[in-house]
């Protein structure tokens, strides 16, 4: 009696494509039934011996009803697809530096296709994802698609690479779980695998499921990219696949029947992964006992070139890393023509290609993260993650768990199964540590060890994990002064400050003020113009909040709904009146006076306010302050006896003496 195979796919066309493909390969040895989410036929799919499922969690978001119709996992094979060798050869024919769209049904599918093509070695083309609903796809000369030409932008010249086919892994698993291993010896299967761009399979799955004869096992092993060497219970070499012959530079005839300890002394036949050097090349070697139906056949070793394993790990880590961990800005986004910014931009561009640590020094609001992202995008690590961490925003324990990760049960509230830290997520990429001056001496010691050893140890573990991460750091304080005071480790400072880059304050590049103001105005799609006196006021202003303050000022003017901005329309700190002058004489910066205003206005209402609330309130007054700057100001106020810090949601408020001081400053 024939076995039955059900196919579940998102679209009807793809379900029929898989059905036709498998029908030709299996040669009528199984009854095949196709269904899809698109036409709802999944509701009527009959009970089958096995199911091929190409439905993803992304598909189920929009077809939540389908969850009730999915078959049990024990009877499913998850479809894995790949490009044909013909498609890869077509792409390799394009010149280096080609920019092209990759069109697919969803963003997820487009990104998955792009990732797979890069993994298959297509480095001459820069792919940009395109899918229904994507906004304004870039105008490029070439458009590729895996069988989705109807989704391409109107008028585009499309190169159809053909639908991605099921991998040899998937076809092997279907044949074995349907009890048809003989199919794997067929010419049809050999021709099919030869037409694919890559072949891989899990030996443990194959041997566990169905193989009953050593000839069948050998057939499968020769289809693998990994090198396989098997030894029997006595340690004699019993099987060597073709990939292993190439890796070991030895023929099967030279190895079969000989003791492995004599023929392959460099190959460790022990449980667990090992790194072995064979003929001057590094290999990752994994060994495990081999059983078929509880009969021991000895041990097998899987050999993969270490570089290939590293590349696969990097690809998997990139897929696991949240999509937000990427750099958006380049050096083209750093606007300005002043000598100060041009010099800084040029220095950053020159050192971007190295792997040395960089310390970005500049006041708050000067654009240190913008420079960090631009450096990453101009470096060889541009395709890997860029992860930014504000050290001042996290407590010491939270910062440690975020950066280093933790094991299951490491502390109360730890996520089940543990969690990889940001150092692991940034492997082969860039980690940006902002406000590095705020970390404690204890954490400095732990960070120094990671930078020196290039490995992290998760909280609750003793096993080091190698990481390859470029660290960029930033500070808005005199870190060398902290080193002299002893509050920041000298050795960590020099480890982070290999290449120092100073980001100039806005008052050091006044030639750029009006250019940046106009750029922000265009970003907000505002139509107001600045009068001559207003432009002069902007050029004279001290800009303690730097570019962030300028941006807030332009946003403030945008919301005012004016056609032309006059001097009296500016926030108070821009005015040159007697009141503002007297406040400057009292030694108040624009940011400090904004905090006084926010607290003073709330005092009669007997209301408190938190740090984030102060940041927002100061922003509405046209002054941009970071939470770190607000914290420093509040500490000064409290030391002077002007501030009372409430518990819980009580917030912070002025004392009676503080309110008296506010009135004194206001009335000057």
């Amino acid at each position: 009696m024939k076995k039955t195979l059900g196919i579940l796919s998102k679209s009807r066309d793809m379900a029929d494509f898989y059905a036709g493909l498998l029908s030709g390969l299996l040669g009528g040895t199984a009854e095949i039934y196709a269904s899809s989410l698109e036409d709802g036929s999944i509701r009527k799919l009959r009970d089958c011996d096995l199911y091929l499922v190409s439905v993803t969690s992304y598909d189920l978001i929009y077809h939540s009803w389908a969850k009730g119709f999915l078959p049990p996992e024990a009877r499913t094979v998850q479809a894995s697809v790949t490009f044909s060798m013909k498609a890869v050869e077509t792409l390799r024919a394009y010149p280096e530096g080609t920019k092209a769209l990759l069109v697919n049904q969803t963003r997820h599918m487009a990104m998955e296709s792009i990732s797979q093509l890069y993994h298959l070695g297509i480095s001459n083309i820069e792919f940009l994802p395109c899918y229904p609903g994507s906004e304004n796809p870039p105008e490029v000369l070439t458009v590729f698609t895996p069988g989705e030409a109807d989704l391409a932008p109107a008028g585009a010249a499309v190169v159809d690479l053909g639908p991605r086919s099921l991998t040899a892994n998937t076809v092997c698993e279907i044949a074995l779980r349907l009890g048809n291993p003989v199919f794997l010896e067929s010419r049809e299967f050999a021709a099919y695998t030869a037409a694919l761009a890559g072949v891989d399979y899990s030996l443990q799955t194959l041997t566990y499921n169905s193989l009953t004869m050593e000839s069948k096992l050998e057939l499968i092993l020769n289809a693998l990219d990994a090198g396989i060497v098997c030894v029997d219970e006595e340690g004699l070499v019993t099987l060597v696949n073709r990939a292993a012959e190439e890796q070991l530079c030895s023929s099967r005839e030279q190895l079969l029947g000989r003791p492995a300890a004599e023929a392959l002394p460099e190959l460790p036949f022990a449980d667990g992964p090992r790194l072995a050097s064979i003929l001057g090349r590094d290999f990752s070697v994994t060994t495990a006992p081999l059983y078929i139906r509880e009969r021991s056949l000895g041990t097998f070793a899987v050999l993969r070139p270490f570089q290939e394993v590293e590349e696969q790990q990097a690809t998997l880590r990139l897929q696991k890393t949240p999509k937000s961990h990427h750099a958006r800005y380049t050096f083209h986004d750093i606007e300005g023509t002043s000598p100060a910014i041009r010099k800084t931009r040029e220095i950053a561009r020159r050192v971007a290609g190295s792997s040395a640590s960089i310390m970005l020094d500049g006041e708050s609001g000067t654009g240190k993260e913008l420079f960090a992202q631009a450096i990453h995008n101009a470096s060889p690590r541009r395709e890997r993650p860029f992860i930014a961490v504000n050290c001042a925003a996290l407590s010491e324990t939270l910062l440690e768990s975020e950066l280093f990760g933790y094991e299951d049960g490491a502390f109360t509230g730890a996520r089940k199964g543990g969690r990889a830290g940001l150092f692991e997520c940034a492997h082969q990429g860039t980690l940006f540590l902002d406000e590095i001056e705020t970390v404690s001496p204890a954490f400095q010691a732990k960070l120094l060890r990671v930078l020196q050893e290039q490995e992290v140890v998760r909280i609750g573990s003793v096993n080091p994990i190698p990481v390859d991460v470029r660290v960029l750091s930033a500070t808005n304080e005199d870190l060398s002064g902290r080193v002299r005071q002893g509050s920041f480790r000298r050795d960590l400072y020099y480890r982070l400050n290999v290449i120092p880059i100073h980001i100039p304050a806005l008052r050091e590049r006044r030639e750029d003020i009006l250019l940046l103001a106009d750029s922000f105005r265009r970003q907000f799609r505002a139509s107001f113009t600045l009068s001559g006196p207003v432009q002069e006021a902007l050029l004279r202003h001290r800009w303690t909040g730097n570019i962030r303050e300028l941006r807030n000022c332009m946003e403030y003017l945008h919301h005012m709904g004016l056609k032309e901005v006059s001097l009296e329309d500016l926030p108070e700190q821009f005015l040159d009146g007697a009141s503002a002058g007297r406040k400057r004489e009292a030694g108040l910066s624009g940011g400090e006076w904004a905090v006084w205003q926010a607290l003073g206005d709330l005092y009669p209402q007997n209301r408190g306010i938190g740090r984030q609330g102060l940041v927002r309130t100061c922003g509405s007054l046209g002054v941009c302050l970071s939470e770190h700057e607000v914290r420093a100001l509040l500490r000064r106020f409290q030391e002077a006896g002007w501030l009372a810090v409430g518990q819980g949601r009580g917030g912070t408020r002025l004392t009676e003496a503080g309110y008296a001081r506010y009135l004194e400053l206001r009335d000057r």
Side-chain angles (χ1 to χ4, degrees):
M1 183 176 178
K2 289 184 179 180
K3 293 291 184 71
T4 54
L5 173 66
I7 297 176
L8 291 76
S9 183
K10 178 183 178 182
S11 71
R12 186 71 214 186
D13 289 344
M14 193 55 65
D16 291 339
F17 172 74
Y18 291 152
L21 184 153
L22 290 170
S23 178
L25 285 174
L26 297 175
T29 58
E31 295 286 347
I32 301 175
Y33 303 92
S35 69
S36 73
L37 297 177
E38 186 179 78
D39 60 7
S41 56
I42 184 177
R43 302 174 188 263
K44 302 177 181 178
L45 183 62
R46 59 169 288 174
D47 185 69
C48 296
D49 296 308
L50 188 67
Y51 298 89
L52 174 68
V53 180
S54 68
V55 178
T56 69
S57 58
Y58 289 86
D59 299 329
L60 294 178
I61 291 175
Y62 301 99
H63 301 84
S64 56
W65 56 266
K67 292 182 179 179
F69 296 89
L70 294 179
E73 290 185 5
R75 285 193 286 155
T76 63
V77 173
Q78 188 66 42
S80 179
V81 295
T82 188
F83 288 88
S84 67
M85 184 62 72
K86 180 180 179 182
V88 171
E89 291 172 352
T90 298
L91 294 171
R92 284 176 177 161
Y94 282 78
E96 190 75 23
T98 298
K99 182 176 287 189
L101 295 181
L102 195 292
V103 178
N104 217 321
Q105 297 177 24
T106 65
R107 184 179 188 280
H108 170 72
M109 296 175 71
M111 293 301 294
E112 183 188 38
S113 296
I114 292 172
S115 175
Q116 191 172 63
L117 287 172
Y118 285 152
H119 182 65
L120 291 172
I122 304 301
S123 60
N124 54 309
I125 301 175
E126 179 183 355
F127 294 106
L128 303 172
C130 183
Y131 48 92
S134 58
E135 296 182 5
N136 301 322
E139 294 182 5
V140 294
L141 298 178
T142 310
V143 178
F144 297 105
T145 181
E148 304 289 351
D150 57 320
L151 301 180
V158 182
V159 178
D160 194 340
L161 302 174
R164 290 189 291 170
S165 298
L166 297 173
T167 62
N169 300 4
T170 304
V171 177
C172 282
E173 188 169 357
I174 290 171
L176 294 174
R177 293 181 65 176
L178 289 176
N180 185 20
V182 177
F183 151 75
L184 302 175
E185 297 178 356
S186 67
R187 294 180 179 178
E188 290 81 5
F189 180 67
Y192 179 76
T193 56
L196 298 179
V199 180
D200 190 14
Y201 201 67
S202 166
L203 177 62
Q204 192 71 37
T205 300
L206 291 176
T207 56
Y208 177 80
N209 278 328
S210 300
L211 296 183
T212 58
M213 298 170 57
E214 292 186 11
S215 61
K216 298 294 190 297
L217 175 60
E218 186 174 355
L219 173 70
I220 301 301
L221 296 182
N222 282 328
L224 302 180
D225 290 334
I228 306 293
V229 177
C230 295
V231 297
D232 61 16
E233 300 93 324
E234 298 177 0
L236 302 178
V237 178
T238 57
L239 189 148
V240 180
N241 74 343
R242 295 191 184 97
E245 287 183 284
E246 296 176 3
Q247 293 167 348
L248 300 171
C249 295
S250 298
S251 66
R252 299 171 63 192
E253 290 73 17
Q254 293 174 306
L255 299 173
L256 291 178
R258 294 179 60 190
E262 173 190 315
L264 301 168
E266 65 274 28
L267 198 58
F269 279 91
D271 291 342
R274 294 287 188 277
L275 186 64
S277 180
I278 302 174
L279 301 177
R281 295 176 62 196
D282 289 333
F283 286 86
S284 169
V285 181
T286 303
T287 59
L290 179 61
Y291 293 93
I292 294 182
R293 293 190 177 181
E294 300 182 357
R295 182 165 81 83
S296 174
L297 297 181
T299 304
F300 69 86
V302 181
L303 293 78
R304 286 190 180 277
F306 183 68
Q307 182 64 30
E308 178 184 312
V309 175
E310 280 281 279
E311 291 173 357
Q312 289 181 350
Q313 284 291 325
T315 300
L316 292 174
R317 291 191 196 204
L318 187 60
Q319 293 175 2
K320 187 176 180 181
T321 302
K323 301 301 181 184
S324 59
H325 289 160
H326 69 279
R328 295 179 295 165
Y329 301 111
T330 67
F331 284 113
H332 294 295
D333 296 304
I334 302 176
E335 299 184 68
T337 58
S338 64
I341 196 64
R342 285 164 54 189
K343 178 181 178 182
T344 302
R345 192 166 50 212
E346 182 58 30
I347 292 173
R349 197 191 301 272
R350 286 204 304 266
V351 301
S354 75
S355 291
S357 299
I358 294 177
M359 174 77 74
L360 299 168
D361 165 48
E363 296 179 7
S364 179
T366 52
K368 295 187 288 294
E369 183 169 349
L370 178 64
F371 266 90
Q373 293 194 25
I375 289 170
H376 171 80
N377 275 332
S379 76
R381 299 171 182 261
R382 66 180 68 88
E383 301 299 331
R384 299 304 178 189
F386 172 88
I387 300 179
V389 182
N390 189 314
C391 300
L394 302 173
S395 65
E396 180 178 347
T397 54
L398 184 56
L399 184 62
E400 183 177 354
S401 66
E402 284 292 308
L403 288 180
F404 304 151
Y406 53 82
E407 292 295 314
D408 187 6
F411 51 84
T412 303
R415 179 188 296 179
K416 186 175 181 180
R419 181 180 177 183
L422 295 180
F423 264 102
E424 292 179 61
C425 293
H427 182 63
Q428 295 189 338
T430 302
L431 186 63
F432 174 55
L433 302 177
D434 198 8
E435 299 195 65
I436 188 65
E437 72 278 0
T438 62
V439 301
S440 70
F443 185 81
Q444 292 174 31
K446 296 173 183 177
L447 179 60
L448 177 64
R449 185 190 178 282
V450 173
L451 298 180
Q452 288 177 333
E453 304 300 328
Q454 288 290 289
E455 61 185 25
V456 295
V457 178
R458 293 185 183 180
I459 298 174
S461 173
V462 295
N463 299 317
I465 302 172
V467 290
D468 172 19
V469 177
R470 185 186 194 181
V471 174
L472 308 182
S473 55
T475 178
N476 54 26
E477 295 188 13
D478 179 14
L479 204 55
S480 61
R482 282 184 170 245
V483 171
R484 290 192 295 271
Q485 295 168 7
S487 60
F488 199 90
R489 293 181 65 110
R490 187 179 299 274
D491 44 8
L492 177 59
Y493 173 74
Y494 287 118
R495 176 73 64 172
L496 294 172
N497 197 38
V498 176
I499 301 177
I501 297 179
H502 173 69
I503 312 299
L506 189 54
R507 59 182 172 275
E508 299 172 17
R509 42 182 295 209
R510 293 189 181 276
E511 305 96 314
D512 297 330
I513 291 175
L514 296 182
L515 182 149
L516 292 170
D518 187 61
S519 175
F520 289 134
R521 182 187 61 79
R522 285 185 276 108
Q523 283 183 29
F524 297 130
R525 298 182 181 178
S527 57
F528 64 79
T529 58
L530 303 175
S531 66
V534 168
Q535 293 184 26
E536 293 177 7
L538 295 181
L539 291 171
R540 287 196 308 269
H541 188 60
R542 282 189 55 79
W543 299 111
T544 56
N546 292 293
I547 296 175
R548 189 184 292 125
E549 183 183 357
L550 176 59
R551 187 184 190 280
N552 275 23
C553 178
M554 291 300 105
E555 185 174 8
Y556 169 84
L557 296 177
H558 166 54
H559 291 304
M560 293 291 287
L562 302 168
K563 290 186 178 180
E564 183 182 47
V565 179
S566 60
L567 198 58
E568 56 268 20
D569 297 321
L570 290 173
E572 183 178 344
Q573 66 268 24
F574 289 88
L575 303 181
D576 291 326
S579 175
R582 285 193 293 269
K583 290 177 177 56
R584 284 197 297 273
E585 290 172 6
L588 293 181
S589 66
E592 188 173 355
W593 175 240
V595 173
W596 272 116
Q597 280 184 288
L599 294 170
D601 291 346
L602 291 175
Y603 182 82
Q605 306 170 37
N606 195 30
R607 288 172 52 201
I609 188 171
R611 287 194 300 271
Q612 293 182 356
L614 278 172
V615 169
R616 291 192 294 270
T617 302
C618 291
S620 68
L621 294 172
V623 178
C624 184
L625 294 175
S626 69
E627 194 171 336
H628 176 69
E629 291 172 311
V630 168
R631 187 189 298 114
L633 285 171
L634 294 181
R635 189 183 304 118
R636 285 174 46 199
F637 286 17
Q638 188 176 15
E639 290 172 354
W642 297 331
L643 203 66
V645 179
Q647 298 296 322
R649 299 185 179 181
T652 297
R653 65 191 70 199
L654 292 176
T655 61
E656 185 176 347
Y659 187 61
R661 175 62 175 165
Y662 163 70
L663 294 177
E664 177 188 347
L665 293 171
R666 187 193 66 181
D667 297 336
R668 281 190 178 187

